[in-house]
Amino acid sequence: LAFGVRVAIDPFARARQLHLQLRYHADRYYNEDAPVIGDGQYDTLLQELRRLEVQFPGCLNPDSPTQRVAGAPADGFTQVEHPMPMLSLANAFAREDVEAWHRRVTDLLDGQSFRMVAELKIDGLAVRLTYRDGRFLLGATRGNGQTGEDVTHNLRTVRSIPLTLSGRPPTDLEVRGEVYLPLDSFRKMNEERERLGEPLYANPRNTGAGTIRQLDPKVTESRNMQMWVYSLNDTGVAPIPAGHWECLQNLKSYGFRINPLNRTLDTVDEVCDFYDEMLSRRHEWNYEADGIVVKVDSIAQQNSLGVAGREPRWAIAYKFPAERSTTRLLNIIINV
Ligand code: NAD
């Protein structure tokens, strides 16, 4: 490379190597709650694999980390099947990616226009909550997207999760959202550990995920976990509103915590303005966000767009530039 010599790398061998690396890092991140590389680096490896799979379709197999939601339900928890898979999101890293997504959606909708809802992409742990007759029945992690862990006992201690709903909720209700460890709680925990001379926790995301995925609800309660709810699932039992925005307003009236920064938008320019504003404000909040999520508002349009692999076609995550450095992660002993 130093003298302009190109080294030919076998794309199939490189794809295999990337599979192994990504699987290892996904296991550390999702199952151990203890990553060893930064999210930016993980996303770069995943993007390289994606590009290889587009360029050399023979590299693509159903087990590829680009095709599956990573993570596995841990021992010690009852496993629960998700009635509807809990998916991942396609990523955008620049305005052009958002433009390309918007064009693709317009084409798939035969040129119809569509309204969008933009939200913060909260860097926490995805969970699904089930309510029956207005009462909290079950809370589960995303796991591998098909099967998650029953963490109801821990989620019952999260104060922003209503145990009994207000307003006029349907008999059967399923919502999804992100549970997270507030930054002030995280800082307090690390100050205490520093005082005791104990190794510091690496980051709020993995400490929070570990807090929900441990067996003692007293530990969860003591850490003041919080939740933002970002979707109402269509269980097919009760009718749901025609648009995602309206679903969020309904969820708010039932007592769920809905992020007040959510906004409806009509154009890519508005999406980019929202992104710039959120990026400049990312240090104002008591939680971490790693980007914004843009969703097609109409549920009918969402249904007609459907899913590609592990990602709904009707949503895209526009990621903020990564902030955590590997060195920092490697220098801190990761522990829950
Ligand atoms: P993703 O980036 O594909 O996004 C899907 C997730 O976004 C959902 O499951 C949901 O939990 C979350 N989300 C947050 N706010 C949302 C909102 N408003 N609406 C809808 N969904 C929302 O998720 P992923 O595939 O689990 O990857 C998550 C991140 O994990 C990536 O940024 C990746 O870098 C990181 N990761 C890091 C490592 C590592 O070793 N550092 C390993 C694996 C994954």
Side-chain angles (χ1 to χ4, degrees):
L1 285 178
F3 300 100
V5 179
R6 278 173 174 251
V7 180
I9 300 173
D10 173 5
F12 291 88
R14 179 63 185 150
R16 270 196 303 279
Q17 197 178 36
L18 285 168
H19 275 204
L20 290 177
Q21 286 182 7
L22 286 162
R23 239 180 254 144
Y24 169 73
H25 290 301
D27 180 57
R28 296 283 311 198
Y29 182 89
Y30 292 110
N31 303 333
E32 305 295 326
D33 297 316
V36 286
I37 59 169
D39 290 359
Q41 280 171 293
Y42 180 84
D43 290 344
T44 306
L45 294 174
L46 193 66
Q47 262 183 298
E48 184 187 346
L49 180 59
R50 253 184 234 286
R51 273 198 300 271
L52 273 178
E53 290 174 346
V54 171
Q55 226 180 328
F56 306 96
C59 292
L60 179 65
N61 71 50
D63 275 348
S64 167
T66 62
Q67 302 301 301
R68 304 178 56 171
V69 172
D75 293 340
F77 293 95
T78 307
Q79 300 195 359
V80 272
E81 291 278 315
H82 300 307
M84 273 161 289
M86 291 183 75
L87 299 168
S88 194
L89 288 169
N91 284 328
F93 297 95
R95 182 188 169 103
E96 299 81 69
D97 301 333
V98 180
E99 282 168 346
W101 171 78
H102 194 273
R103 268 197 307 274
R104 219 166 34 244
V105 170
T106 309
D107 288 348
L108 289 166
L109 293 175
D110 294 327
Q112 278 174 41
S113 61
F114 57 94
R115 182 163 96 148
M116 294 167 278
V117 177
E119 300 165 14
L120 282 181
K121 184 170 188 294
I122 312 297
D123 204 2
L125 181 72
V127 296
R128 160 173 86 83
L129 310 178
T130 304
Y131 287 78
R132 177 98 12 96
D133 295 321
R135 282 177 198 286
F136 179 42
L137 191 71
L138 174 85
T141 62
R142 183 176 70 164
N144 62 14
Q146 310 290 337
T147 308
E149 297 140 339
D150 180 343
V151 287
T152 314
H153 64 303
N154 283 338
L155 293 177
R156 289 184 79 85
T157 71
V158 177
R159 288 198 189 94
S160 44
I161 297 181
L163 299 180
T164 310
L165 299 179
S166 11
R168 298 172 60 192
T171 315
D172 284 286
L173 182 75
E174 258 206 47
V175 305
R176 289 180 186 180
E178 205 81 357
V179 179
Y180 65 91
L181 179 65
L183 295 183
D184 55 358
S185 306
F186 175 71
R187 282 189 208 110
K188 230 180 271 159
M189 285 167 63
N190 263 350
E191 276 162 23
E192 179 64 9
R193 285 177 84 88
E194 201 158 23
R195 204 177 56 77
L196 297 172
E198 289 174 2
L200 301 186
Y201 292 117
N203 62 62
R205 191 267 163 206
N206 294 103
T207 313
T211 301
I212 294 296
R213 299 172 75 238
Q214 54 79 45
L215 297 169
D216 184 358
K218 282 200 204 78
V219 173
T220 320
E221 188 164 26
S222 71
R223 293 186 179 177
N224 190 29
M225 299 288 290
Q226 291 281 8
M227 178 167 183
W228 290 119
V229 166
Y230 53 66
S231 77
L232 165 63
N233 279 359
D234 187 355
T235 54
V237 182
I240 66 162
H244 174 60
W245 181 257
E246 208 185 327
C247 289
L248 294 178
Q249 307 317 308
N250 283 6
L251 290 174
K252 199 169 157 196
S253 75
Y254 304 151
F256 292 105
R257 193 156 164 266
I258 308 295
N259 196 307
L261 296 163
N262 296 346
R263 214 172 281 173
T264 56
L265 306 170
D266 291 306
T267 63
V268 171
D269 278 343
E270 286 174 9
V271 170
C272 293
D273 288 347
F274 180 78
Y275 175 89
D276 290 341
E277 184 192 333
M278 294 304 127
L279 180 59
S280 71
R281 295 177 60 184
R282 72 189 293 195
H283 298 295
E284 285 176 17
W285 312 309
N286 196 16
Y287 50 88
E288 288 191 327
D290 59 338
I292 62 166
V293 185
V294 184
K295 303 173 181 175
V296 170
D297 182 47
S298 152
I299 306 293
Q301 286 180 328
Q302 286 186 6
N303 290 339
S304 90
L305 289 162
V307 170
R310 57 173 208 163
E311 299 162 353
R313 289 196 190 86
W314 47 265
I316 193 156
Y318 187 3
K319 302 288 286 269
F320 293 151
E323 278 197 315
R324 278 179 209 141
S325 77
T326 324
T327 1
R328 203 185 125 220
L329 271 180
L330 288 175
N331 282 342
I332 295 173
I333 297 175
I334 297 155
N335 194 349
V336 175

PDB file of all heavy atoms in Angstrom, residues 137-172:
ATOM      1  N   LEU A 137     -48.791  -6.465  32.501  1.00  0.00           N
ATOM      2  CA  LEU A 137     -48.788  -7.925  32.607  1.00  0.00           C
ATOM      3  C   LEU A 137     -47.392  -8.506  32.383  1.00  0.00           C
ATOM      4  O   LEU A 137     -46.930  -9.372  33.117  1.00  0.00           O
ATOM      5  CB  LEU A 137     -49.746  -8.474  31.541  1.00  0.00           C
ATOM      6  CG  LEU A 137     -50.116  -9.930  31.594  1.00  0.00           C
ATOM      7  CD1 LEU A 137     -51.024 -10.167  32.794  1.00  0.00           C
ATOM      8  CD2 LEU A 137     -50.856 -10.323  30.313  1.00  0.00           C
ATOM      9  N   LEU A 138     -46.713  -8.018  31.329  1.00  0.00           N
ATOM     10  CA  LEU A 138     -45.442  -8.646  30.945  1.00  0.00           C
ATOM     11  C   LEU A 138     -44.503  -7.622  30.321  1.00  0.00           C
ATOM     12  O   LEU A 138     -44.938  -6.769  29.544  1.00  0.00           O
ATOM     13  CB  LEU A 138     -45.726  -9.748  29.906  1.00  0.00           C
ATOM     14  CG  LEU A 138     -44.502 -10.417  29.298  1.00  0.00           C
ATOM     15  CD1 LEU A 138     -44.021 -11.549  30.190  1.00  0.00           C
ATOM     16  CD2 LEU A 138     -44.783 -10.954  27.901  1.00  0.00           C
ATOM     17  N   GLY A 139     -43.238  -7.723  30.677  1.00  0.00           N
ATOM     18  CA  GLY A 139     -42.220  -6.877  30.048  1.00  0.00           C
ATOM     19  C   GLY A 139     -41.092  -7.771  29.566  1.00  0.00           C
ATOM     20  O   GLY A 139     -40.607  -8.628  30.317  1.00  0.00           O
ATOM     21  N   ALA A 140     -40.691  -7.600  28.298  1.00  0.00           N
ATOM     22  CA  ALA A 140     -39.663  -8.487  27.748  1.00  0.00           C
ATOM     23  C   ALA A 140     -38.607  -7.688  26.982  1.00  0.00           C
ATOM     24  O   ALA A 140     -38.910  -6.657  26.390  1.00  0.00           O
ATOM     25  CB  ALA A 140     -40.312  -9.509  26.812  1.00  0.00           C
ATOM     26  N   THR A 141     -37.383  -8.189  26.993  1.00  0.00           N
ATOM     27  CA  THR A 141     -36.308  -7.562  26.208  1.00  0.00           C
ATOM     28  C   THR A 141     -36.436  -7.987  24.746  1.00  0.00           C
ATOM     29  O   THR A 141     -37.146  -8.953  24.443  1.00  0.00           O
ATOM     30  CB  THR A 141     -34.921  -8.008  26.711  1.00  0.00           C
ATOM     31  OG1 THR A 141     -34.814  -9.434  26.539  1.00  0.00           O
ATOM     32  CG2 THR A 141     -34.712  -7.658  28.171  1.00  0.00           C
ATOM     33  N   ARG A 142     -35.699  -7.304  23.872  1.00  0.00           N
ATOM     34  CA  ARG A 142     -35.756  -7.663  22.450  1.00  0.00           C
ATOM     35  C   ARG A 142     -35.100  -9.026  22.183  1.00  0.00           C
ATOM     36  O   ARG A 142     -35.524  -9.782  21.317  1.00  0.00           O
ATOM     37  CB  ARG A 142     -35.044  -6.564  21.627  1.00  0.00           C
ATOM     38  CG  ARG A 142     -35.117  -6.801  20.144  1.00  0.00           C
ATOM     39  CD  ARG A 142     -34.502  -5.652  19.362  1.00  0.00           C
ATOM     40  NE  ARG A 142     -33.051  -5.600  19.503  1.00  0.00           N
ATOM     41  CZ  ARG A 142     -32.237  -4.914  18.709  1.00  0.00           C
ATOM     42  NH1 ARG A 142     -32.737  -4.211  17.719  1.00  0.00           N
ATOM     43  NH2 ARG A 142     -30.931  -4.895  18.905  1.00  0.00           N
ATOM     44  N   GLY A 143     -34.013  -9.344  22.911  1.00  0.00           N
ATOM     45  CA  GLY A 143     -33.310 -10.619  22.684  1.00  0.00           C
ATOM     46  C   GLY A 143     -32.850 -10.713  21.256  1.00  0.00           C
ATOM     47  O   GLY A 143     -32.251  -9.778  20.716  1.00  0.00           O
ATOM     48  N   ASN A 144     -33.144 -11.853  20.607  1.00  0.00           N
ATOM     49  CA  ASN A 144     -32.707 -12.001  19.207  1.00  0.00           C
ATOM     50  C   ASN A 144     -33.778 -11.498  18.226  1.00  0.00           C
ATOM     51  O   ASN A 144     -33.708 -11.766  17.036  1.00  0.00           O
ATOM     52  CB  ASN A 144     -32.344 -13.457  18.905  1.00  0.00           C
ATOM     53  CG  ASN A 144     -33.538 -14.389  19.080  1.00  0.00           C
ATOM     54  OD1 ASN A 144     -34.689 -13.936  19.170  1.00  0.00           O
ATOM     55  ND2 ASN A 144     -33.284 -15.675  19.122  1.00  0.00           N
ATOM     56  N   GLY A 145     -34.774 -10.790  18.756  1.00  0.00           N
ATOM     57  CA  GLY A 145     -35.808 -10.225  17.891  1.00  0.00           C
ATOM     58  C   GLY A 145     -37.050 -11.107  17.824  1.00  0.00           C
ATOM     59  O   GLY A 145     -38.159 -10.614  17.670  1.00  0.00           O
ATOM     60  N   GLN A 146     -36.852 -12.431  17.966  1.00  0.00           N
ATOM     61  CA  GLN A 146     -37.981 -13.383  17.969  1.00  0.00           C
ATOM     62  C   GLN A 146     -38.321 -13.770  19.406  1.00  0.00           C
ATOM     63  O   GLN A 146     -39.474 -13.909  19.764  1.00  0.00           O
ATOM     64  CB  GLN A 146     -37.632 -14.686  17.212  1.00  0.00           C
ATOM     65  CG  GLN A 146     -37.036 -14.490  15.825  1.00  0.00           C
ATOM     66  CD  GLN A 146     -38.069 -13.969  14.854  1.00  0.00           C
ATOM     67  OE1 GLN A 146     -39.268 -14.155  15.060  1.00  0.00           O
ATOM     68  NE2 GLN A 146     -37.625 -13.267  13.814  1.00  0.00           N
ATOM     69  N   THR A 147     -37.274 -13.981  20.196  1.00  0.00           N
ATOM     70  CA  THR A 147     -37.436 -14.416  21.584  1.00  0.00           C
ATOM     71  C   THR A 147     -36.630 -13.494  22.493  1.00  0.00           C
ATOM     72  O   THR A 147     -35.467 -13.214  22.200  1.00  0.00           O
ATOM     73  CB  THR A 147     -36.881 -15.863  21.748  1.00  0.00           C
ATOM     74  OG1 THR A 147     -37.478 -16.670  20.741  1.00  0.00           O
ATOM     75  CG2 THR A 147     -37.209 -16.435  23.112  1.00  0.00           C
ATOM     76  N   GLY A 148     -37.273 -13.020  23.557  1.00  0.00           N
ATOM     77  CA  GLY A 148     -36.566 -12.162  24.505  1.00  0.00           C
ATOM     78  C   GLY A 148     -36.638 -12.750  25.902  1.00  0.00           C
ATOM     79  O   GLY A 148     -37.083 -13.886  26.093  1.00  0.00           O
ATOM     80  N   GLU A 149     -36.215 -11.964  26.882  1.00  0.00           N
ATOM     81  CA  GLU A 149     -36.222 -12.412  28.280  1.00  0.00           C
ATOM     82  C   GLU A 149     -37.373 -11.735  29.017  1.00  0.00           C
ATOM     83  O   GLU A 149     -37.618 -10.547  28.821  1.00  0.00           O
ATOM     84  CB  GLU A 149     -34.915 -11.982  28.968  1.00  0.00           C
ATOM     85  CG  GLU A 149     -33.680 -12.605  28.375  1.00  0.00           C
ATOM     86  CD  GLU A 149     -32.530 -11.600  28.285  1.00  0.00           C
ATOM     87  OE1 GLU A 149     -32.779 -10.377  28.301  1.00  0.00           O
ATOM     88  OE2 GLU A 149     -31.398 -12.072  28.180  1.00  0.00           O
ATOM     89  N   ASP A 150     -38.031 -12.494  29.867  1.00  0.00           N
ATOM     90  CA  ASP A 150     -39.092 -11.929  30.702  1.00  0.00           C
ATOM     91  C   ASP A 150     -38.420 -11.161  31.848  1.00  0.00           C
ATOM     92  O   ASP A 150     -37.821 -11.766  32.741  1.00  0.00           O
ATOM     93  CB  ASP A 150     -39.958 -13.091  31.236  1.00  0.00           C
ATOM     94  CG  ASP A 150     -41.089 -12.593  32.123  1.00  0.00           C
ATOM     95  OD1 ASP A 150     -41.023 -11.435  32.585  1.00  0.00           O
ATOM     96  OD2 ASP A 150     -42.037 -13.362  32.359  1.00  0.00           O
ATOM     97  N   VAL A 151     -38.500  -9.838  31.800  1.00  0.00           N
ATOM     98  CA  VAL A 151     -37.874  -9.012  32.848  1.00  0.00           C
ATOM     99  C   VAL A 151     -38.954  -8.189  33.579  1.00  0.00           C
ATOM    100  O   VAL A 151     -38.686  -7.105  34.084  1.00  0.00           O
ATOM    101  CB  VAL A 151     -36.773  -8.093  32.268  1.00  0.00           C
ATOM    102  CG1 VAL A 151     -35.523  -8.885  31.899  1.00  0.00           C
ATOM    103  CG2 VAL A 151     -37.279  -7.304  31.052  1.00  0.00           C
ATOM    104  N   THR A 152     -40.169  -8.744  33.616  1.00  0.00           N
ATOM    105  CA  THR A 152     -41.302  -8.050  34.243  1.00  0.00           C
ATOM    106  C   THR A 152     -40.963  -7.592  35.662  1.00  0.00           C
ATOM    107  O   THR A 152     -41.242  -6.455  36.038  1.00  0.00           O
ATOM    108  CB  THR A 152     -42.532  -8.983  34.289  1.00  0.00           C
ATOM    109  OG1 THR A 152     -42.674  -9.601  33.019  1.00  0.00           O
ATOM    110  CG2 THR A 152     -43.795  -8.228  34.648  1.00  0.00           C
ATOM    111  N   HIS A 153     -40.335  -8.502  36.454  1.00  0.00           N
ATOM    112  CA  HIS A 153     -40.066  -8.182  37.862  1.00  0.00           C
ATOM    113  C   HIS A 153     -39.194  -6.934  37.984  1.00  0.00           C
ATOM    114  O   HIS A 153     -39.382  -6.118  38.887  1.00  0.00           O
ATOM    115  CB  HIS A 153     -39.435  -9.388  38.575  1.00  0.00           C
ATOM    116  CG  HIS A 153     -38.094  -9.777  38.030  1.00  0.00           C
ATOM    117  ND1 HIS A 153     -37.898 -10.104  36.713  1.00  0.00           N
ATOM    118  CD2 HIS A 153     -36.873  -9.827  38.620  1.00  0.00           C
ATOM    119  CE1 HIS A 153     -36.623 -10.374  36.525  1.00  0.00           C
ATOM    120  NE2 HIS A 153     -35.977 -10.204  37.663  1.00  0.00           N
ATOM    121  N   ASN A 154     -38.235  -6.755  37.083  1.00  0.00           N
ATOM    122  CA  ASN A 154     -37.387  -5.559  37.128  1.00  0.00           C
ATOM    123  C   ASN A 154     -38.113  -4.332  36.592  1.00  0.00           C
ATOM    124  O   ASN A 154     -37.996  -3.236  37.137  1.00  0.00           O
ATOM    125  CB  ASN A 154     -36.109  -5.790  36.320  1.00  0.00           C
ATOM    126  CG  ASN A 154     -35.123  -6.652  37.085  1.00  0.00           C
ATOM    127  OD1 ASN A 154     -35.196  -6.736  38.312  1.00  0.00           O
ATOM    128  ND2 ASN A 154     -34.226  -7.308  36.380  1.00  0.00           N
ATOM    129  N   LEU A 155     -38.866  -4.520  35.510  1.00  0.00           N
ATOM    130  CA  LEU A 155     -39.545  -3.362  34.911  1.00  0.00           C
ATOM    131  C   LEU A 155     -40.624  -2.797  35.830  1.00  0.00           C
ATOM    132  O   LEU A 155     -40.928  -1.616  35.771  1.00  0.00           O
ATOM    133  CB  LEU A 155     -40.128  -3.736  33.540  1.00  0.00           C
ATOM    134  CG  LEU A 155     -39.063  -4.033  32.472  1.00  0.00           C
ATOM    135  CD1 LEU A 155     -39.726  -4.466  31.160  1.00  0.00           C
ATOM    136  CD2 LEU A 155     -38.172  -2.819  32.218  1.00  0.00           C
ATOM    137  N   ARG A 156     -41.170  -3.640  36.694  1.00  0.00           N
ATOM    138  CA  ARG A 156     -42.192  -3.148  37.632  1.00  0.00           C
ATOM    139  C   ARG A 156     -41.628  -2.081  38.582  1.00  0.00           C
ATOM    140  O   ARG A 156     -42.364  -1.305  39.159  1.00  0.00           O
ATOM    141  CB  ARG A 156     -42.768  -4.303  38.474  1.00  0.00           C
ATOM    142  CG  ARG A 156     -43.654  -5.243  37.692  1.00  0.00           C
ATOM    143  CD  ARG A 156     -44.250  -6.287  38.615  1.00  0.00           C
ATOM    144  NE  ARG A 156     -45.369  -5.732  39.350  1.00  0.00           N
ATOM    145  CZ  ARG A 156     -46.615  -5.684  38.884  1.00  0.00           C
ATOM    146  NH1 ARG A 156     -46.891  -6.188  37.701  1.00  0.00           N
ATOM    147  NH2 ARG A 156     -47.561  -5.149  39.596  1.00  0.00           N
ATOM    148  N   THR A 157     -40.297  -2.055  38.725  1.00  0.00           N
ATOM    149  CA  THR A 157     -39.688  -1.070  39.635  1.00  0.00           C
ATOM    150  C   THR A 157     -39.364   0.251  38.907  1.00  0.00           C
ATOM    151  O   THR A 157     -38.916   1.199  39.536  1.00  0.00           O
ATOM    152  CB  THR A 157     -38.368  -1.604  40.250  1.00  0.00           C
ATOM    153  OG1 THR A 157     -37.374  -1.650  39.222  1.00  0.00           O
ATOM    154  CG2 THR A 157     -38.534  -2.977  40.865  1.00  0.00           C
ATOM    155  N   VAL A 158     -39.563   0.293  37.580  1.00  0.00           N
ATOM    156  CA  VAL A 158     -39.246   1.512  36.821  1.00  0.00           C
ATOM    157  C   VAL A 158     -40.439   2.459  36.937  1.00  0.00           C
ATOM    158  O   VAL A 158     -41.529   2.143  36.461  1.00  0.00           O
ATOM    159  CB  VAL A 158     -38.945   1.180  35.338  1.00  0.00           C
ATOM    160  CG1 VAL A 158     -38.699   2.446  34.525  1.00  0.00           C
ATOM    161  CG2 VAL A 158     -37.758   0.226  35.239  1.00  0.00           C
ATOM    162  N   ARG A 159     -40.222   3.620  37.596  1.00  0.00           N
ATOM    163  CA  ARG A 159     -41.373   4.460  37.946  1.00  0.00           C
ATOM    164  C   ARG A 159     -42.101   5.026  36.745  1.00  0.00           C
ATOM    165  O   ARG A 159     -43.300   5.279  36.819  1.00  0.00           O
ATOM    166  CB  ARG A 159     -40.942   5.568  38.895  1.00  0.00           C
ATOM    167  CG  ARG A 159     -40.647   4.951  40.242  1.00  0.00           C
ATOM    168  CD  ARG A 159     -40.620   5.947  41.376  1.00  0.00           C
ATOM    169  NE  ARG A 159     -40.101   5.216  42.533  1.00  0.00           N
ATOM    170  CZ  ARG A 159     -38.836   5.205  42.882  1.00  0.00           C
ATOM    171  NH1 ARG A 159     -37.954   5.916  42.217  1.00  0.00           N
ATOM    172  NH2 ARG A 159     -38.426   4.488  43.907  1.00  0.00           N
ATOM    173  N   SER A 160     -41.410   5.239  35.614  1.00  0.00           N
ATOM    174  CA  SER A 160     -42.132   5.805  34.463  1.00  0.00           C
ATOM    175  C   SER A 160     -42.925   4.748  33.694  1.00  0.00           C
ATOM    176  O   SER A 160     -43.568   5.074  32.701  1.00  0.00           O
ATOM    177  CB  SER A 160     -41.179   6.575  33.542  1.00  0.00           C
ATOM    178  OG  SER A 160     -39.998   5.869  33.343  1.00  0.00           O
ATOM    179  N   ILE A 161     -42.885   3.502  34.140  1.00  0.00           N
ATOM    180  CA  ILE A 161     -43.745   2.481  33.522  1.00  0.00           C
ATOM    181  C   ILE A 161     -45.023   2.370  34.355  1.00  0.00           C
ATOM    182  O   ILE A 161     -44.976   1.923  35.508  1.00  0.00           O
ATOM    183  CB  ILE A 161     -43.041   1.105  33.446  1.00  0.00           C
ATOM    184  CG1 ILE A 161     -41.800   1.219  32.555  1.00  0.00           C
ATOM    185  CG2 ILE A 161     -43.989   0.010  32.977  1.00  0.00           C
ATOM    186  CD1 ILE A 161     -41.029  -0.074  32.376  1.00  0.00           C
ATOM    187  N   PRO A 162     -46.179   2.800  33.797  1.00  0.00           N
ATOM    188  CA  PRO A 162     -47.400   2.723  34.613  1.00  0.00           C
ATOM    189  C   PRO A 162     -47.801   1.262  34.859  1.00  0.00           C
ATOM    190  O   PRO A 162     -47.759   0.442  33.940  1.00  0.00           O
ATOM    191  CB  PRO A 162     -48.445   3.433  33.744  1.00  0.00           C
ATOM    192  CG  PRO A 162     -47.892   3.468  32.367  1.00  0.00           C
ATOM    193  CD  PRO A 162     -46.404   3.337  32.453  1.00  0.00           C
ATOM    194  N   LEU A 163     -48.142   0.977  36.106  1.00  0.00           N
ATOM    195  CA  LEU A 163     -48.609  -0.382  36.416  1.00  0.00           C
ATOM    196  C   LEU A 163     -50.090  -0.499  36.074  1.00  0.00           C
ATOM    197  O   LEU A 163     -50.580  -1.554  35.701  1.00  0.00           O
ATOM    198  CB  LEU A 163     -48.374  -0.703  37.894  1.00  0.00           C
ATOM    199  CG  LEU A 163     -46.905  -0.670  38.323  1.00  0.00           C
ATOM    200  CD1 LEU A 163     -46.762  -0.994  39.800  1.00  0.00           C
ATOM    201  CD2 LEU A 163     -46.072  -1.636  37.483  1.00  0.00           C
ATOM    202  N   THR A 164     -50.804   0.640  36.194  1.00  0.00           N
ATOM    203  CA  THR A 164     -52.212   0.713  35.822  1.00  0.00           C
ATOM    204  C   THR A 164     -52.357   1.900  34.875  1.00  0.00           C
ATOM    205  O   THR A 164     -51.833   2.979  35.162  1.00  0.00           O
ATOM    206  CB  THR A 164     -53.076   0.974  37.076  1.00  0.00           C
ATOM    207  OG1 THR A 164     -52.685   0.026  38.062  1.00  0.00           O
ATOM    208  CG2 THR A 164     -54.550   0.805  36.778  1.00  0.00           C
ATOM    209  N   LEU A 165     -53.077   1.695  33.772  1.00  0.00           N
ATOM    210  CA  LEU A 165     -53.175   2.765  32.777  1.00  0.00           C
ATOM    211  C   LEU A 165     -54.303   3.726  33.106  1.00  0.00           C
ATOM    212  O   LEU A 165     -55.286   3.356  33.743  1.00  0.00           O
ATOM    213  CB  LEU A 165     -53.392   2.160  31.388  1.00  0.00           C
ATOM    214  CG  LEU A 165     -52.272   1.241  30.905  1.00  0.00           C
ATOM    215  CD1 LEU A 165     -52.604   0.683  29.518  1.00  0.00           C
ATOM    216  CD2 LEU A 165     -50.934   1.975  30.866  1.00  0.00           C
ATOM    217  N   SER A 166     -54.155   4.972  32.632  1.00  0.00           N
ATOM    218  CA  SER A 166     -55.252   5.933  32.770  1.00  0.00           C
ATOM    219  C   SER A 166     -55.986   6.061  31.431  1.00  0.00           C
ATOM    220  O   SER A 166     -55.624   5.395  30.452  1.00  0.00           O
ATOM    221  CB  SER A 166     -54.738   7.303  33.218  1.00  0.00           C
ATOM    222  OG  SER A 166     -53.358   7.405  33.157  1.00  0.00           O
ATOM    223  N   GLY A 167     -56.968   6.956  31.382  1.00  0.00           N
ATOM    224  CA  GLY A 167     -57.697   7.189  30.134  1.00  0.00           C
ATOM    225  C   GLY A 167     -58.526   5.981  29.739  1.00  0.00           C
ATOM    226  O   GLY A 167     -59.010   5.243  30.603  1.00  0.00           O
ATOM    227  N   ARG A 168     -58.667   5.785  28.412  1.00  0.00           N
ATOM    228  CA  ARG A 168     -59.494   4.663  27.955  1.00  0.00           C
ATOM    229  C   ARG A 168     -58.690   3.735  27.050  1.00  0.00           C
ATOM    230  O   ARG A 168     -58.889   3.688  25.837  1.00  0.00           O
ATOM    231  CB  ARG A 168     -60.707   5.220  27.217  1.00  0.00           C
ATOM    232  CG  ARG A 168     -61.548   6.088  28.168  1.00  0.00           C
ATOM    233  CD  ARG A 168     -62.629   6.816  27.467  1.00  0.00           C
ATOM    234  NE  ARG A 168     -63.567   5.921  26.800  1.00  0.00           N
ATOM    235  CZ  ARG A 168     -64.464   6.338  25.930  1.00  0.00           C
ATOM    236  NH1 ARG A 168     -64.527   7.599  25.598  1.00  0.00           N
ATOM    237  NH2 ARG A 168     -65.300   5.491  25.375  1.00  0.00           N
ATOM    238  N   PRO A 169     -57.748   2.990  27.658  1.00  0.00           N
ATOM    239  CA  PRO A 169     -56.912   2.100  26.846  1.00  0.00           C
ATOM    240  C   PRO A 169     -57.699   0.891  26.341  1.00  0.00           C
ATOM    241  O   PRO A 169     -58.694   0.506  26.976  1.00  0.00           O
ATOM    242  CB  PRO A 169     -55.829   1.648  27.829  1.00  0.00           C
ATOM    243  CG  PRO A 169     -56.476   1.724  29.163  1.00  0.00           C
ATOM    244  CD  PRO A 169     -57.471   2.854  29.093  1.00  0.00           C
ATOM    245  N   PRO A 170     -57.291   0.297  25.218  1.00  0.00           N
ATOM    246  CA  PRO A 170     -57.960  -0.941  24.790  1.00  0.00           C
ATOM    247  C   PRO A 170     -57.653  -2.075  25.767  1.00  0.00           C
ATOM    248  O   PRO A 170     -56.694  -1.988  26.537  1.00  0.00           O
ATOM    249  CB  PRO A 170     -57.314  -1.224  23.425  1.00  0.00           C
ATOM    250  CG  PRO A 170     -56.055  -0.439  23.402  1.00  0.00           C
ATOM    251  CD  PRO A 170     -56.214   0.713  24.335  1.00  0.00           C
ATOM    252  N   THR A 171     -58.464  -3.118  25.729  1.00  0.00           N
ATOM    253  CA  THR A 171     -58.283  -4.251  26.655  1.00  0.00           C
ATOM    254  C   THR A 171     -56.903  -4.881  26.504  1.00  0.00           C
ATOM    255  O   THR A 171     -56.243  -5.228  27.474  1.00  0.00           O
ATOM    256  CB  THR A 171     -59.344  -5.330  26.323  1.00  0.00           C
ATOM    257  OG1 THR A 171     -60.558  -4.643  26.146  1.00  0.00           O
ATOM    258  CG2 THR A 171     -59.474  -6.366  27.397  1.00  0.00           C
ATOM    259  N   ASP A 172     -56.469  -5.053  25.231  1.00  0.00           N
ATOM    260  CA  ASP A 172     -55.147  -5.625  24.981  1.00  0.00           C
ATOM    261  C   ASP A 172     -54.267  -4.539  24.403  1.00  0.00           C
ATOM    262  O   ASP A 172     -54.627  -3.944  23.384  1.00  0.00           O
ATOM    263  CB  ASP A 172     -55.236  -6.766  23.964  1.00  0.00           C
ATOM    264  CG  ASP A 172     -55.793  -8.004  24.607  1.00  0.00           C
ATOM    265  OD1 ASP A 172     -55.051  -8.630  25.371  1.00  0.00           O
ATOM    266  OD2 ASP A 172     -56.980  -8.302  24.367  1.00  0.00           O
TER     267      ASP A 172
END
